[in-house]
Amino acid sequence: LNRMLGRRARRDIHIAADRIHQAADEKSPDDQLYPHASLLMIDIDNFKVYNTQYSYAGGDEVLRHTANVIRNAVYDNDFVARIGGDEFGVILYNASPREGENVIRRINRALSEQPCKYIDSDGKEHSIVVTVTGSAQIIEEGASMKTALEKLS
């Protein structure tokens, strides 16, 4: 799973980089690519507990479920990537940090309303309620997407 998610994150970063270059080609060097964007850092709470209680397969399912909930909570043009372990980075275009905090609350609400379903090797179904902790910060006005992506590293 880590290899699969790692490849996906690298692919997502390359797609974002392509968008940056395309946008840069359409603008003059003095134009700001994304003047009003926020960066969210999101961490699954107590992730090791899921691996311990439900096995690594259960932990992997928690990662997939959380990633899907995050993707569904943002606009299609926003950028979502797993940046390591149980951490996700999100770039919200045209959003303030306050709007970013609202997105984090929406993600937690969706996670509580839609528990992760996991069937273990014995065939027993588990309903796992996941929570996340996150923070939002403004991406400096006029910063390039490259600068924003470097903050995710």
Side-chain angles (χ1 to χ4, degrees), residues 21-38:
H21 293 299
Q22 183 179 17
D25 289 343
E26 295 169 3
K27 296 178 179 279
S28 76
D30 296 329
D31 285 342
Q32 300 168 355
L33 293 178
Y34 302 101
H36 305 291
S38 289

Side-chain angles (χ1 to χ4, degrees), residues 63-75:
L63 284 171
R64 280 189 289 273
H65 176 73
T66 304
N68 286 331
V69 168
I70 292 170
R71 280 190 202 103
N72 289 331
V74 300
Y75 293 109

Side-chain angles (χ1 to χ4, degrees), residues 73-145:
V74 300
Y75 293 109
D76 288 340
N77 66 326
D78 292 330
F79 178 76
V80 178
R82 179 173 176 227
I83 55 176
D86 60 345
E87 298 171 326
F88 295 87
V90 180
I91 297 174
L92 301 174
Y93 301 110
N94 298 315
S96 69
R98 174 179 267 170
E99 292 166 314
E101 295 291 340
N102 288 335
V103 168
I104 294 167
R105 282 192 282 281
R106 249 192 349 256
I107 291 166
N108 268 316
R109 187 171 40 252
L111 287 168
S112 70
E113 293 171 356
Q114 305 162 20
C116 174
K117 304 293 184 195
Y118 169 65
I119 299 174
D120 66 22
S121 59
D122 295 329
K124 183 177 179 185
E125 184 175 330
H126 301 274
S127 184
I128 306 168
V129 177
V130 179
T131 60
V132 297
T133 302
S135 64
Q137 65 185 50
I138 192 77
I139 297 172
E140 294 83 14
E141 188 164 334
S144 68
M145 268 292 288

Side-chain angles (χ1 to χ4, degrees), residues 48-61 118 120-121:
K48 288 183 180 185
V49 171
Y50 302 120
N51 280 336
T52 301
Q53 187 169 350
Y54 302 106
S55 78
Y56 288 112
D60 290 349
E61 191 58 37
Y118 169 65
D120 66 22
S121 59

